[in-house]
Amino acid sequence: DICHLFDKDKKQYHCQPCGICRIGPKEKYFHCTKCNLCLATDLKDNHKCVENVSRQNCPVCMEDIHTSRIEAHVLPCGHLLHNTPLVEPYFFPMTVDYTLCMYVFLCSQIICNDCQAHCTVSFHVLGMKCSSCGSYNTAQDGGLIAAPAVNT
């Protein structure tokens, strides 16, 4: 009645706290008030709450998680990632503790705008440090790659 969507196949429902319609059925989801997100009912008393976790972008694809139609995976630490082929090989079959920084499993090739060096460094969404001169005035020079395996 609120959003005027008429596609019974998707069994959409309006979540008042989220402020948007979700693909259902509604019986399979609940709204966690602390996370401020609708989650699968099997996570009801089985997830770590992170306040307003869905109001951040996916740290891998940088797309909005809250309004996305792509399913999000809840990590044991409580953070969310989109459940896509780009993300899965890096995060879901991991044998190390999920609470470690997620970015240690990704590297990126960069070029430094100060010294013109080409480097492979650990990926970070805010910036990547040139291993030649230490500058953060860098740009990605290729896609993300898996970090070398580390003995744990």
Side-chain angles (χ1 to χ4, degrees):
D1 291 336
I2 296 169
C3 295
H4 306 288
L5 298 174
F6 303 103
D7 188 344
K8 294 193 185 294
D9 292 339
K10 293 182 180 165
K11 298 181 172 133
Q12 71 272 2
Y13 65 97
H14 183 82
C15 176
Q16 190 65 38
C18 283
I20 60 174
C21 284
R22 300 269 187 206
I23 295 175
K26 184 176 185 174
E27 298 79 34
K28 290 190 175 186
Y29 298 92
F30 76 100
H31 184 87
C32 177
T33 53
K34 185 173 182 182
C35 293
N36 198 13
L37 174 69
C38 290
L39 297 169
T41 53
D42 61 337
L43 295 172
K44 186 154 188 155
D45 294 314
N46 193 22
H47 75 284
K48 181 177 180 180
C49 289
V50 175
E51 194 167 352
N52 291 319
V53 69
S54 73
R55 303 304 176 154
Q56 304 164 13
N57 289 342
C58 172
V60 176
C61 68
M62 299 306 296
E63 296 293 325
D64 179 55
I65 290 179
H66 186 74
T67 60
S68 177
R69 293 179 60 193
I70 300 170
E71 183 180 349
H73 181 78
V74 182
L75 298 173
C77 62
H79 292 98
L80 299 175
L81 296 173
H82 276 132
N83 197 4
T84 65
L86 171 68
V87 176
E88 283 179 21
Y90 298 113
F91 296 102
F92 301 132
M94 290 185 342
T95 57
V96 297
D97 188 355
Y98 277 104
T99 58
L100 295 173
C101 177
M102 293 179 290
Y103 303 117
V104 299
F105 300 103
L106 293 175
C107 288
S108 180
Q109 295 173 337
I110 62 166
I111 184 169
C112 179
N113 294 320
D114 292 335
C115 72
Q116 303 303 309
H118 292 265
C119 312
T120 301
V121 298
S122 294
F123 174 77
H124 196 281
V125 295
L126 296 179
M128 291 168 276
K129 185 177 181 177
C130 173
S131 56
S132 181
C133 72
S135 171
Y136 284 92
N137 186 12
T138 61
Q140 276 190 279
D141 189 28
L144 296 175
I145 54 177
V150 178
N151 293 335
T152 56

